[in-house]
Amino acid sequence: MNILPPVPVQSPQEHPDMEEIRCPSPVLARMHLIKGKDAIDRYLAMHIKGLSKQEAAAYRNSYKKNICIDMLRQGYHKSFAELFTLIEKWNALREASGPGSAIWLQKSLEEQPDKLDQLHHFLTRAEAAQRSEYYEEMYMNQLSLAYCFNKSEDRWLRNYFYEQCYKTAQLIKIDGGRKEADAHSNMGLVYEEQGQFLKAAEHYEAFYHLTVGRIWKDETGRTLNTLACEHLWRIYTLLADKMLQNKEHQQAIKTLIKAFEMAKEAGNRNMEADAAFCLGLAYHSAGEEDTAILKLNAYLELSKILGDYVGIGRAYQALAQVLVSLGEVDEAITYLEKFMNIAKNIQLTHSLVDACTFLGNIYNERGNYSKACEYFDQAFCAANVLGDLPLVNETKVFCGIGKAHNMMVKVNSHTEAADHVGIEYLLAWKGNRSDMCTDPFTVDFIKLNPLGAESKCNEIKATTDMMETLD
């Protein structure tokens, strides 16, 4: 279970101009083997004069075989071997996954002519560039292939070509390391997507060091150094969350301090605020409450500067949790009431449920059961507005607990009195809970206000039914 707020994992993005990258349809015929060899030969002899043996074979062979023959005929032996290896890898992945898996239901790579077109086009161009030692052009062709295979079912191909880009980028010496920086960024995104956060961090750190002091920008106009800082902030936060789950508090705090520094260097106040909040939670998990309050107050101030009311509410809630652990319950209640007011004002219904439930639990633990019931009821009403059935059921249980505790006070008072009237009332109530109008706790109310007795009895009956549910 995550301890820190969820940080979205990033993946390599598809190139915005994919139509420009895709190769034109080649002249090779897309004619699969659908007839016997003799029938095709007779048809060609009768209807097509002067067709060469190679041209006739193009109609007879599978498209994959035509692609391979064309590569070999033009001397692209490395491209042929690479294509053949990729097809074999796909088959191995399919066999390893077994029947019923997603990859088992997909067409084989050799049965997808469009993909074979892309591979044929860019692999041969990359090999030609390699022969001439034009490594930058080789890199761009490999990168184009990575962009071509960005769909979920093709990610293994995309990742393979990002790895090839990374290897090629090491050979480029004329761009000051720009291609190598991009390759590290892409490999970091690949490993992050796979959940290998330590490897991703290594690539992002290399990306960061290569971009320090550079004015390189991406297609959106952001500097690559700012992008590197954002990547490091995100991956350090993800790593720290794993550490906190494993109770490695001090290591998590060190990692989050690095995340905070990256957020500040990026000049992104939103990231800086999130980093401060995560640090506060980490210090709270480690039992360093005073430092946690400092970091959470820093988060509160940043949220106020940003006009982030959600963040302000979240800061009040976290500060209340820390103060409760310190035993400063009255101050915690003040923060929670502020949190509840913000949730009401900006209609954060889920946050309102959290605030009311938290306040209800505090008052319940302090023995102020009537106040606890008041907040539990508010939480229940807010959950009903959301229409979230599991949350409605959860708040319903809290309402039952609060009302049961409230009723137990009166039950205990009659039990401790141990007089004849008290015992009679308790026995009557225990013997027939459905008839709450004869309950000892309603007698005085009926005498003083007979007109409102019926509604009061119905209310108490509902509370008793809730207790029976809890039993």
mmCIF file with all atom_site columns, all heavy atoms in Angstrom, residues 349-350 353 357 376-377 379-400 466:
data_model
loop_
_atom_site.group_PDB
_atom_site.id
_atom_site.type_symbol
_atom_site.label_atom_id
_atom_site.label_alt_id
_atom_site.label_comp_id
_atom_site.label_asym_id
_atom_site.label_entity_id
_atom_site.label_seq_id
_atom_site.pdbx_PDB_ins_code
_atom_site.Cartn_x
_atom_site.Cartn_y
_atom_site.Cartn_z
_atom_site.occupancy
_atom_site.B_iso_or_equiv
_atom_site.pdbx_formal_charge
_atom_site.auth_seq_id
_atom_site.auth_comp_id
_atom_site.auth_asym_id
_atom_site.auth_atom_id
_atom_site.pdbx_PDB_model_num
ATOM 1   N N   . THR A 1 349 ? -16.086 16.534 -1.712 1.00 0.00 ? 349 THR A N   1
ATOM 2   C CA  . THR A 1 349 ? -16.941 15.665 -0.903 1.00 0.00 ? 349 THR A CA  1
ATOM 3   C C   . THR A 1 349 ? -16.153 14.528 -0.263 1.00 0.00 ? 349 THR A C   1
ATOM 4   O O   . THR A 1 349 ? -16.381 14.172 0.902  1.00 0.00 ? 349 THR A O   1
ATOM 5   C CB  . THR A 1 349 ? -18.079 15.099 -1.772 1.00 0.00 ? 349 THR A CB  1
ATOM 6   O OG1 . THR A 1 349 ? -18.697 16.182 -2.472 1.00 0.00 ? 349 THR A OG1 1
ATOM 7   C CG2 . THR A 1 349 ? -19.119 14.421 -0.920 1.00 0.00 ? 349 THR A CG2 1
ATOM 8   N N   . HIS A 1 350 ? -15.211 13.949 -1.017 1.00 0.00 ? 350 HIS A N   1
ATOM 9   C CA  . HIS A 1 350 ? -14.435 12.843 -0.452 1.00 0.00 ? 350 HIS A CA  1
ATOM 10  C C   . HIS A 1 350 ? -13.568 13.331 0.705  1.00 0.00 ? 350 HIS A C   1
ATOM 11  O O   . HIS A 1 350 ? -13.438 12.649 1.734  1.00 0.00 ? 350 HIS A O   1
ATOM 12  C CB  . HIS A 1 350 ? -13.561 12.209 -1.537 1.00 0.00 ? 350 HIS A CB  1
ATOM 13  C CG  . HIS A 1 350 ? -13.263 10.765 -1.288 1.00 0.00 ? 350 HIS A CG  1
ATOM 14  N ND1 . HIS A 1 350 ? -12.478 10.340 -0.235 1.00 0.00 ? 350 HIS A ND1 1
ATOM 15  C CD2 . HIS A 1 350 ? -13.657 9.628  -1.931 1.00 0.00 ? 350 HIS A CD2 1
ATOM 16  C CE1 . HIS A 1 350 ? -12.384 9.031  -0.250 1.00 0.00 ? 350 HIS A CE1 1
ATOM 17  N NE2 . HIS A 1 350 ? -13.101 8.571  -1.260 1.00 0.00 ? 350 HIS A NE2 1
ATOM 18  N N   . VAL A 1 353 ? -15.704 13.702 3.769  1.00 0.00 ? 353 VAL A N   1
ATOM 19  C CA  . VAL A 1 353 ? -15.905 12.414 4.451  1.00 0.00 ? 353 VAL A CA  1
ATOM 20  C C   . VAL A 1 353 ? -14.704 12.105 5.343  1.00 0.00 ? 353 VAL A C   1
ATOM 21  O O   . VAL A 1 353 ? -14.863 11.707 6.507  1.00 0.00 ? 353 VAL A O   1
ATOM 22  C CB  . VAL A 1 353 ? -16.118 11.278 3.420  1.00 0.00 ? 353 VAL A CB  1
ATOM 23  C CG1 . VAL A 1 353 ? -16.150 9.915  4.119  1.00 0.00 ? 353 VAL A CG1 1
ATOM 24  C CG2 . VAL A 1 353 ? -17.403 11.495 2.634  1.00 0.00 ? 353 VAL A CG2 1
ATOM 25  N N   . THR A 1 357 ? -14.970 11.930 9.417  1.00 0.00 ? 357 THR A N   1
ATOM 26  C CA  . THR A 1 357 ? -14.657 10.635 10.029 1.00 0.00 ? 357 THR A CA  1
ATOM 27  C C   . THR A 1 357 ? -13.523 10.781 11.044 1.00 0.00 ? 357 THR A C   1
ATOM 28  O O   . THR A 1 357 ? -13.568 10.211 12.141 1.00 0.00 ? 357 THR A O   1
ATOM 29  C CB  . THR A 1 357 ? -14.273 9.612  8.947  1.00 0.00 ? 357 THR A CB  1
ATOM 30  O OG1 . THR A 1 357 ? -15.331 9.499  7.998  1.00 0.00 ? 357 THR A OG1 1
ATOM 31  C CG2 . THR A 1 357 ? -14.011 8.254  9.554  1.00 0.00 ? 357 THR A CG2 1
ATOM 32  N N   . PHE A 1 376 ? -19.985 11.706 12.505 1.00 0.00 ? 376 PHE A N   1
ATOM 33  C CA  . PHE A 1 376 ? -20.182 10.478 11.728 1.00 0.00 ? 376 PHE A CA  1
ATOM 34  C C   . PHE A 1 376 ? -21.407 10.604 10.814 1.00 0.00 ? 376 PHE A C   1
ATOM 35  O O   . PHE A 1 376 ? -21.405 10.121 9.682  1.00 0.00 ? 376 PHE A O   1
ATOM 36  C CB  . PHE A 1 376 ? -20.343 9.274  12.655 1.00 0.00 ? 376 PHE A CB  1
ATOM 37  C CG  . PHE A 1 376 ? -19.062 8.807  13.303 1.00 0.00 ? 376 PHE A CG  1
ATOM 38  C CD1 . PHE A 1 376 ? -19.052 8.301  14.600 1.00 0.00 ? 376 PHE A CD1 1
ATOM 39  C CD2 . PHE A 1 376 ? -17.855 8.863  12.607 1.00 0.00 ? 376 PHE A CD2 1
ATOM 40  C CE1 . PHE A 1 376 ? -17.870 7.856  15.191 1.00 0.00 ? 376 PHE A CE1 1
ATOM 41  C CE2 . PHE A 1 376 ? -16.670 8.418  13.199 1.00 0.00 ? 376 PHE A CE2 1
ATOM 42  C CZ  . PHE A 1 376 ? -16.685 7.921  14.491 1.00 0.00 ? 376 PHE A CZ  1
ATOM 43  N N   . ASP A 1 377 ? -22.444 11.273 11.319 1.00 0.00 ? 377 ASP A N   1
ATOM 44  C CA  . ASP A 1 377 ? -23.631 11.484 10.487 1.00 0.00 ? 377 ASP A CA  1
ATOM 45  C C   . ASP A 1 377 ? -23.308 12.353 9.276  1.00 0.00 ? 377 ASP A C   1
ATOM 46  O O   . ASP A 1 377 ? -23.798 12.110 8.163  1.00 0.00 ? 377 ASP A O   1
ATOM 47  C CB  . ASP A 1 377 ? -24.742 12.137 11.315 1.00 0.00 ? 377 ASP A CB  1
ATOM 48  C CG  . ASP A 1 377 ? -25.441 11.150 12.242 1.00 0.00 ? 377 ASP A CG  1
ATOM 49  O OD1 . ASP A 1 377 ? -25.318 9.937  11.982 1.00 0.00 ? 377 ASP A OD1 1
ATOM 50  O OD2 . ASP A 1 377 ? -26.085 11.581 13.213 1.00 0.00 ? 377 ASP A OD2 1
ATOM 51  N N   . ALA A 1 379 ? -20.402 12.584 7.837  1.00 0.00 ? 379 ALA A N   1
ATOM 52  C CA  . ALA A 1 379 ? -19.604 11.756 6.924  1.00 0.00 ? 379 ALA A CA  1
ATOM 53  C C   . ALA A 1 379 ? -20.513 10.828 6.119  1.00 0.00 ? 379 ALA A C   1
ATOM 54  O O   . ALA A 1 379 ? -20.327 10.646 4.908  1.00 0.00 ? 379 ALA A O   1
ATOM 55  C CB  . ALA A 1 379 ? -18.587 10.934 7.718  1.00 0.00 ? 379 ALA A CB  1
ATOM 56  N N   . PHE A 1 380 ? -21.511 10.266 6.779  1.00 0.00 ? 380 PHE A N   1
ATOM 57  C CA  . PHE A 1 380 ? -22.455 9.369  6.103  1.00 0.00 ? 380 PHE A CA  1
ATOM 58  C C   . PHE A 1 380 ? -23.249 10.101 5.017  1.00 0.00 ? 380 PHE A C   1
ATOM 59  O O   . PHE A 1 380 ? -23.419 9.600  3.901  1.00 0.00 ? 380 PHE A O   1
ATOM 60  C CB  . PHE A 1 380 ? -23.396 8.756  7.151  1.00 0.00 ? 380 PHE A CB  1
ATOM 61  C CG  . PHE A 1 380 ? -24.466 7.882  6.571  1.00 0.00 ? 380 PHE A CG  1
ATOM 62  C CD1 . PHE A 1 380 ? -24.155 6.664  5.979  1.00 0.00 ? 380 PHE A CD1 1
ATOM 63  C CD2 . PHE A 1 380 ? -25.803 8.267  6.616  1.00 0.00 ? 380 PHE A CD2 1
ATOM 64  C CE1 . PHE A 1 380 ? -25.140 5.852  5.441  1.00 0.00 ? 380 PHE A CE1 1
ATOM 65  C CE2 . PHE A 1 380 ? -26.798 7.456  6.085  1.00 0.00 ? 380 PHE A CE2 1
ATOM 66  C CZ  . PHE A 1 380 ? -26.455 6.247  5.494  1.00 0.00 ? 380 PHE A CZ  1
ATOM 67  N N   . CYS A 1 381 ? -23.701 11.299 5.329  1.00 0.00 ? 381 CYS A N   1
ATOM 68  C CA  . CYS A 1 381 ? -24.460 12.093 4.346  1.00 0.00 ? 381 CYS A CA  1
ATOM 69  C C   . CYS A 1 381 ? -23.584 12.443 3.139  1.00 0.00 ? 381 CYS A C   1
ATOM 70  O O   . CYS A 1 381 ? -24.041 12.372 1.988  1.00 0.00 ? 381 CYS A O   1
ATOM 71  C CB  . CYS A 1 381 ? -24.996 13.365 5.002  1.00 0.00 ? 381 CYS A CB  1
ATOM 72  S SG  . CYS A 1 381 ? -26.277 13.060 6.236  1.00 0.00 ? 381 CYS A SG  1
ATOM 73  N N   . ALA A 1 382 ? -22.323 12.823 3.406  1.00 0.00 ? 382 ALA A N   1
ATOM 74  C CA  . ALA A 1 382 ? -21.409 13.176 2.303  1.00 0.00 ? 382 ALA A CA  1
ATOM 75  C C   . ALA A 1 382 ? -21.118 11.957 1.435  1.00 0.00 ? 382 ALA A C   1
ATOM 76  O O   . ALA A 1 382 ? -21.054 12.059 0.202  1.00 0.00 ? 382 ALA A O   1
ATOM 77  C CB  . ALA A 1 382 ? -20.109 13.747 2.866  1.00 0.00 ? 382 ALA A CB  1
ATOM 78  N N   . ALA A 1 383 ? -20.967 10.790 2.072  1.00 0.00 ? 383 ALA A N   1
ATOM 79  C CA  . ALA A 1 383 ? -20.710 9.567  1.301  1.00 0.00 ? 383 ALA A CA  1
ATOM 80  C C   . ALA A 1 383 ? -21.903 9.217  0.418  1.00 0.00 ? 383 ALA A C   1
ATOM 81  O O   . ALA A 1 383 ? -21.745 8.738  -0.703 1.00 0.00 ? 383 ALA A O   1
ATOM 82  C CB  . ALA A 1 383 ? -20.392 8.411  2.252  1.00 0.00 ? 383 ALA A CB  1
ATOM 83  N N   . ASN A 1 384 ? -23.103 9.467  0.913  1.00 0.00 ? 384 ASN A N   1
ATOM 84  C CA  . ASN A 1 384 ? -24.299 9.227  0.111  1.00 0.00 ? 384 ASN A CA  1
ATOM 85  C C   . ASN A 1 384 ? -24.345 10.129 -1.116 1.00 0.00 ? 384 ASN A C   1
ATOM 86  O O   . ASN A 1 384 ? -24.788 9.713  -2.188 1.00 0.00 ? 384 ASN A O   1
ATOM 87  C CB  . ASN A 1 384 ? -25.554 9.459  0.957  1.00 0.00 ? 384 ASN A CB  1
ATOM 88  C CG  . ASN A 1 384 ? -25.991 8.197  1.683  1.00 0.00 ? 384 ASN A CG  1
ATOM 89  O OD1 . ASN A 1 384 ? -26.088 7.141  1.081  1.00 0.00 ? 384 ASN A OD1 1
ATOM 90  N ND2 . ASN A 1 384 ? -26.218 8.308  2.975  1.00 0.00 ? 384 ASN A ND2 1
ATOM 91  N N   . VAL A 1 385 ? -23.865 11.360 -0.959 1.00 0.00 ? 385 VAL A N   1
ATOM 92  C CA  . VAL A 1 385 ? -23.813 12.290 -2.098 1.00 0.00 ? 385 VAL A CA  1
ATOM 93  C C   . VAL A 1 385 ? -22.885 11.747 -3.179 1.00 0.00 ? 385 VAL A C   1
ATOM 94  O O   . VAL A 1 385 ? -23.167 11.841 -4.376 1.00 0.00 ? 385 VAL A O   1
ATOM 95  C CB  . VAL A 1 385 ? -23.354 13.689 -1.636 1.00 0.00 ? 385 VAL A CB  1
ATOM 96  C CG1 . VAL A 1 385 ? -23.081 14.600 -2.832 1.00 0.00 ? 385 VAL A CG1 1
ATOM 97  C CG2 . VAL A 1 385 ? -24.398 14.323 -0.730 1.00 0.00 ? 385 VAL A CG2 1
ATOM 98  N N   . LEU A 1 386 ? -21.764 11.154 -2.763 1.00 0.00 ? 386 LEU A N   1
ATOM 99  C CA  . LEU A 1 386 ? -20.811 10.584 -3.722 1.00 0.00 ? 386 LEU A CA  1
ATOM 100 C C   . LEU A 1 386 ? -21.376 9.360  -4.432 1.00 0.00 ? 386 LEU A C   1
ATOM 101 O O   . LEU A 1 386 ? -20.970 9.049  -5.557 1.00 0.00 ? 386 LEU A O   1
ATOM 102 C CB  . LEU A 1 386 ? -19.510 10.195 -3.011 1.00 0.00 ? 386 LEU A CB  1
ATOM 103 C CG  . LEU A 1 386 ? -18.561 11.324 -2.619 1.00 0.00 ? 386 LEU A CG  1
ATOM 104 C CD1 . LEU A 1 386 ? -17.428 10.766 -1.770 1.00 0.00 ? 386 LEU A CD1 1
ATOM 105 C CD2 . LEU A 1 386 ? -17.990 12.010 -3.854 1.00 0.00 ? 386 LEU A CD2 1
ATOM 106 N N   . GLY A 1 387 ? -22.273 8.652  -3.773 1.00 0.00 ? 387 GLY A N   1
ATOM 107 C CA  . GLY A 1 387 ? -22.805 7.420  -4.364 1.00 0.00 ? 387 GLY A CA  1
ATOM 108 C C   . GLY A 1 387 ? -21.800 6.287  -4.360 1.00 0.00 ? 387 GLY A C   1
ATOM 109 O O   . GLY A 1 387 ? -21.920 5.328  -5.134 1.00 0.00 ? 387 GLY A O   1
ATOM 110 N N   . ASP A 1 388 ? -20.804 6.389  -3.475 1.00 0.00 ? 388 ASP A N   1
ATOM 111 C CA  . ASP A 1 388 ? -19.759 5.364  -3.367 1.00 0.00 ? 388 ASP A CA  1
ATOM 112 C C   . ASP A 1 388 ? -20.222 4.330  -2.336 1.00 0.00 ? 388 ASP A C   1
ATOM 113 O O   . ASP A 1 388 ? -20.125 4.568  -1.123 1.00 0.00 ? 388 ASP A O   1
ATOM 114 C CB  . ASP A 1 388 ? -18.445 6.024  -2.945 1.00 0.00 ? 388 ASP A CB  1
ATOM 115 C CG  . ASP A 1 388 ? -17.276 5.069  -2.912 1.00 0.00 ? 388 ASP A CG  1
ATOM 116 O OD1 . ASP A 1 388 ? -17.507 3.850  -2.841 1.00 0.00 ? 388 ASP A OD1 1
ATOM 117 O OD2 . ASP A 1 388 ? -16.120 5.532  -2.946 1.00 0.00 ? 388 ASP A OD2 1
ATOM 118 N N   . LEU A 1 389 ? -20.738 3.180  -2.799 1.00 0.00 ? 389 LEU A N   1
ATOM 119 C CA  . LEU A 1 389 ? -21.347 2.203  -1.898 1.00 0.00 ? 389 LEU A CA  1
ATOM 120 C C   . LEU A 1 389 ? -20.392 1.684  -0.822 1.00 0.00 ? 389 LEU A C   1
ATOM 121 O O   . LEU A 1 389 ? -20.765 1.627  0.356  1.00 0.00 ? 389 LEU A O   1
ATOM 122 C CB  . LEU A 1 389 ? -21.929 1.040  -2.707 1.00 0.00 ? 389 LEU A CB  1
ATOM 123 C CG  . LEU A 1 389 ? -22.738 0.016  -1.906 1.00 0.00 ? 389 LEU A CG  1
ATOM 124 C CD1 . LEU A 1 389 ? -23.907 0.681  -1.192 1.00 0.00 ? 389 LEU A CD1 1
ATOM 125 C CD2 . LEU A 1 389 ? -23.243 -1.104 -2.822 1.00 0.00 ? 389 LEU A CD2 1
ATOM 126 N N   . PRO A 1 390 ? -19.142 1.289  -1.161 1.00 0.00 ? 390 PRO A N   1
ATOM 127 C CA  . PRO A 1 390 ? -18.232 0.848  -0.091 1.00 0.00 ? 390 PRO A CA  1
ATOM 128 C C   . PRO A 1 390 ? -17.993 1.937  0.957  1.00 0.00 ? 390 PRO A C   1
ATOM 129 O O   . PRO A 1 390 ? -17.927 1.643  2.156  1.00 0.00 ? 390 PRO A O   1
ATOM 130 C CB  . PRO A 1 390 ? -16.935 0.512  -0.849 1.00 0.00 ? 390 PRO A CB  1
ATOM 131 C CG  . PRO A 1 390 ? -17.380 0.205  -2.239 1.00 0.00 ? 390 PRO A CG  1
ATOM 132 C CD  . PRO A 1 390 ? -18.533 1.114  -2.491 1.00 0.00 ? 390 PRO A CD  1
ATOM 133 N N   . LEU A 1 391 ? -17.877 3.189  0.501  1.00 0.00 ? 391 LEU A N   1
ATOM 134 C CA  . LEU A 1 391 ? -17.666 4.292  1.452  1.00 0.00 ? 391 LEU A CA  1
ATOM 135 C C   . LEU A 1 391 ? -18.917 4.532  2.292  1.00 0.00 ? 391 LEU A C   1
ATOM 136 O O   . LEU A 1 391 ? -18.833 4.816  3.489  1.00 0.00 ? 391 LEU A O   1
ATOM 137 C CB  . LEU A 1 391 ? -17.280 5.562  0.681  1.00 0.00 ? 391 LEU A CB  1
ATOM 138 C CG  . LEU A 1 391 ? -16.804 6.756  1.511  1.00 0.00 ? 391 LEU A CG  1
ATOM 139 C CD1 . LEU A 1 391 ? -15.552 6.394  2.299  1.00 0.00 ? 391 LEU A CD1 1
ATOM 140 C CD2 . LEU A 1 391 ? -16.525 7.957  0.609  1.00 0.00 ? 391 LEU A CD2 1
ATOM 141 N N   . VAL A 1 392 ? -20.097 4.416  1.665  1.00 0.00 ? 392 VAL A N   1
ATOM 142 C CA  . VAL A 1 392 ? -21.359 4.549  2.404  1.00 0.00 ? 392 VAL A CA  1
ATOM 143 C C   . VAL A 1 392 ? -21.425 3.499  3.505  1.00 0.00 ? 392 VAL A C   1
ATOM 144 O O   . VAL A 1 392 ? -21.774 3.798  4.666  1.00 0.00 ? 392 VAL A O   1
ATOM 145 C CB  . VAL A 1 392 ? -22.567 4.412  1.446  1.00 0.00 ? 392 VAL A CB  1
ATOM 146 C CG1 . VAL A 1 392 ? -23.866 4.260  2.248  1.00 0.00 ? 392 VAL A CG1 1
ATOM 147 C CG2 . VAL A 1 392 ? -22.666 5.619  0.524  1.00 0.00 ? 392 VAL A CG2 1
ATOM 148 N N   . ASN A 1 393 ? -21.086 2.256  3.175  1.00 0.00 ? 393 ASN A N   1
ATOM 149 C CA  . ASN A 1 393 ? -21.123 1.181  4.170  1.00 0.00 ? 393 ASN A CA  1
ATOM 150 C C   . ASN A 1 393 ? -20.118 1.415  5.294  1.00 0.00 ? 393 ASN A C   1
ATOM 151 O O   . ASN A 1 393 ? -20.399 1.131  6.460  1.00 0.00 ? 393 ASN A O   1
ATOM 152 C CB  . ASN A 1 393 ? -20.845 -0.164 3.499  1.00 0.00 ? 393 ASN A CB  1
ATOM 153 C CG  . ASN A 1 393 ? -21.999 -0.616 2.606  1.00 0.00 ? 393 ASN A CG  1
ATOM 154 O OD1 . ASN A 1 393 ? -23.151 -0.241 2.841  1.00 0.00 ? 393 ASN A OD1 1
ATOM 155 N ND2 . ASN A 1 393 ? -21.708 -1.403 1.579  1.00 0.00 ? 393 ASN A ND2 1
ATOM 156 N N   . GLU A 1 394 ? -18.959 1.929  4.928  1.00 0.00 ? 394 GLU A N   1
ATOM 157 C CA  . GLU A 1 394 ? -17.937 2.206  5.952  1.00 0.00 ? 394 GLU A CA  1
ATOM 158 C C   . GLU A 1 394 ? -18.416 3.285  6.923  1.00 0.00 ? 394 GLU A C   1
ATOM 159 O O   . GLU A 1 394 ? -18.294 3.137  8.147  1.00 0.00 ? 394 GLU A O   1
ATOM 160 C CB  . GLU A 1 394 ? -16.641 2.646  5.265  1.00 0.00 ? 394 GLU A CB  1
ATOM 161 C CG  . GLU A 1 394 ? -15.493 2.896  6.228  1.00 0.00 ? 394 GLU A CG  1
ATOM 162 C CD  . GLU A 1 394 ? -14.226 3.360  5.524  1.00 0.00 ? 394 GLU A CD  1
ATOM 163 O OE1 . GLU A 1 394 ? -14.119 3.159  4.299  1.00 0.00 ? 394 GLU A OE1 1
ATOM 164 O OE2 . GLU A 1 394 ? -13.360 3.950  6.194  1.00 0.00 ? 394 GLU A OE2 1
ATOM 165 N N   . THR A 1 395 ? -18.957 4.374  6.392  1.00 0.00 ? 395 THR A N   1
ATOM 166 C CA  . THR A 1 395 ? -19.437 5.457  7.266  1.00 0.00 ? 395 THR A CA  1
ATOM 167 C C   . THR A 1 395 ? -20.662 5.011  8.062  1.00 0.00 ? 395 THR A C   1
ATOM 168 O O   . THR A 1 395 ? -20.876 5.472  9.189  1.00 0.00 ? 395 THR A O   1
ATOM 169 C CB  . THR A 1 395 ? -19.773 6.706  6.433  1.00 0.00 ? 395 THR A CB  1
ATOM 170 O OG1 . THR A 1 395 ? -20.690 6.367  5.382  1.00 0.00 ? 395 THR A OG1 1
ATOM 171 C CG2 . THR A 1 395 ? -18.525 7.314  5.823  1.00 0.00 ? 395 THR A CG2 1
ATOM 172 N N   . LYS A 1 396 ? -21.446 4.094  7.487  1.00 0.00 ? 396 LYS A N   1
ATOM 173 C CA  . LYS A 1 396 ? -22.608 3.551  8.210  1.00 0.00 ? 396 LYS A CA  1
ATOM 174 C C   . LYS A 1 396 ? -22.138 2.812  9.461  1.00 0.00 ? 396 LYS A C   1
ATOM 175 O O   . LYS A 1 396 ? -22.769 2.903  10.529 1.00 0.00 ? 396 LYS A O   1
ATOM 176 C CB  . LYS A 1 396 ? -23.385 2.622  7.283  1.00 0.00 ? 396 LYS A CB  1
ATOM 177 C CG  . LYS A 1 396 ? -24.760 2.217  7.818  1.00 0.00 ? 396 LYS A CG  1
ATOM 178 C CD  . LYS A 1 396 ? -25.407 1.176  6.912  1.00 0.00 ? 396 LYS A CD  1
ATOM 179 C CE  . LYS A 1 396 ? -25.743 1.766  5.552  1.00 0.00 ? 396 LYS A CE  1
ATOM 180 N NZ  . LYS A 1 396 ? -26.453 0.754  4.715  1.00 0.00 ? 396 LYS A NZ  1
ATOM 181 N N   . VAL A 1 397 ? -21.060 2.080  9.330  1.00 0.00 ? 397 VAL A N   1
ATOM 182 C CA  . VAL A 1 397 ? -20.496 1.358  10.489 1.00 0.00 ? 397 VAL A CA  1
ATOM 183 C C   . VAL A 1 397 ? -20.034 2.347  11.555 1.00 0.00 ? 397 VAL A C   1
ATOM 184 O O   . VAL A 1 397 ? -20.281 2.150  12.757 1.00 0.00 ? 397 VAL A O   1
ATOM 185 C CB  . VAL A 1 397 ? -19.332 0.452  10.048 1.00 0.00 ? 397 VAL A CB  1
ATOM 186 C CG1 . VAL A 1 397 ? -18.599 -0.107 11.255 1.00 0.00 ? 397 VAL A CG1 1
ATOM 187 C CG2 . VAL A 1 397 ? -19.840 -0.691 9.182  1.00 0.00 ? 397 VAL A CG2 1
ATOM 188 N N   . PHE A 1 398 ? -19.367 3.435  11.124 1.00 0.00 ? 398 PHE A N   1
ATOM 189 C CA  . PHE A 1 398 ? -18.929 4.452  12.090 1.00 0.00 ? 398 PHE A CA  1
ATOM 190 C C   . PHE A 1 398 ? -20.134 5.054  12.815 1.00 0.00 ? 398 PHE A C   1
ATOM 191 O O   . PHE A 1 398 ? -20.081 5.291  14.032 1.00 0.00 ? 398 PHE A O   1
ATOM 192 C CB  . PHE A 1 398 ? -18.136 5.556  11.386 1.00 0.00 ? 398 PHE A CB  1
ATOM 193 C CG  . PHE A 1 398 ? -16.705 5.190  11.082 1.00 0.00 ? 398 PHE A CG  1
ATOM 194 C CD1 . PHE A 1 398 ? -16.234 5.191  9.782  1.00 0.00 ? 398 PHE A CD1 1
ATOM 195 C CD2 . PHE A 1 398 ? -15.840 4.849  12.106 1.00 0.00 ? 398 PHE A CD2 1
ATOM 196 C CE1 . PHE A 1 398 ? -14.922 4.856  9.499  1.00 0.00 ? 398 PHE A CE1 1
ATOM 197 C CE2 . PHE A 1 398 ? -14.517 4.519  11.840 1.00 0.00 ? 398 PHE A CE2 1
ATOM 198 C CZ  . PHE A 1 398 ? -14.056 4.512  10.526 1.00 0.00 ? 398 PHE A CZ  1
ATOM 199 N N   . CYS A 1 399 ? -21.218 5.319  12.067 1.00 0.00 ? 399 CYS A N   1
ATOM 200 C CA  . CYS A 1 399 ? -22.431 5.846  12.699 1.00 0.00 ? 399 CYS A CA  1
ATOM 201 C C   . CYS A 1 399 ? -22.955 4.865  13.740 1.00 0.00 ? 399 CYS A C   1
ATOM 202 O O   . CYS A 1 399 ? -23.351 5.259  14.852 1.00 0.00 ? 399 CYS A O   1
ATOM 203 C CB  . CYS A 1 399 ? -23.510 6.092  11.640 1.00 0.00 ? 399 CYS A CB  1
ATOM 204 S SG  . CYS A 1 399 ? -23.219 7.524  10.601 1.00 0.00 ? 399 CYS A SG  1
ATOM 205 N N   . GLY A 1 400 ? -22.978 3.586  13.400 1.00 0.00 ? 400 GLY A N   1
ATOM 206 C CA  . GLY A 1 400 ? -23.450 2.571  14.334 1.00 0.00 ? 400 GLY A CA  1
ATOM 207 C C   . GLY A 1 400 ? -22.599 2.508  15.588 1.00 0.00 ? 400 GLY A C   1
ATOM 208 O O   . GLY A 1 400 ? -23.125 2.411  16.709 1.00 0.00 ? 400 GLY A O   1
ATOM 209 N N   . MET A 1 466 ? -29.230 -0.719 14.065 1.00 0.00 ? 466 MET A N   1
ATOM 210 C CA  . MET A 1 466 ? -27.820 -0.626 13.682 1.00 0.00 ? 466 MET A CA  1
ATOM 211 C C   . MET A 1 466 ? -26.955 -1.437 14.642 1.00 0.00 ? 466 MET A C   1
ATOM 212 O O   . MET A 1 466 ? -26.018 -2.123 14.244 1.00 0.00 ? 466 MET A O   1
ATOM 213 C CB  . MET A 1 466 ? -27.380 0.845  13.684 1.00 0.00 ? 466 MET A CB  1
ATOM 214 C CG  . MET A 1 466 ? -25.953 1.078  13.241 1.00 0.00 ? 466 MET A CG  1
ATOM 215 S SD  . MET A 1 466 ? -25.743 0.745  11.496 1.00 0.00 ? 466 MET A SD  1
ATOM 216 C CE  . MET A 1 466 ? -26.637 2.132  10.823 1.00 0.00 ? 466 MET A CE  1
#
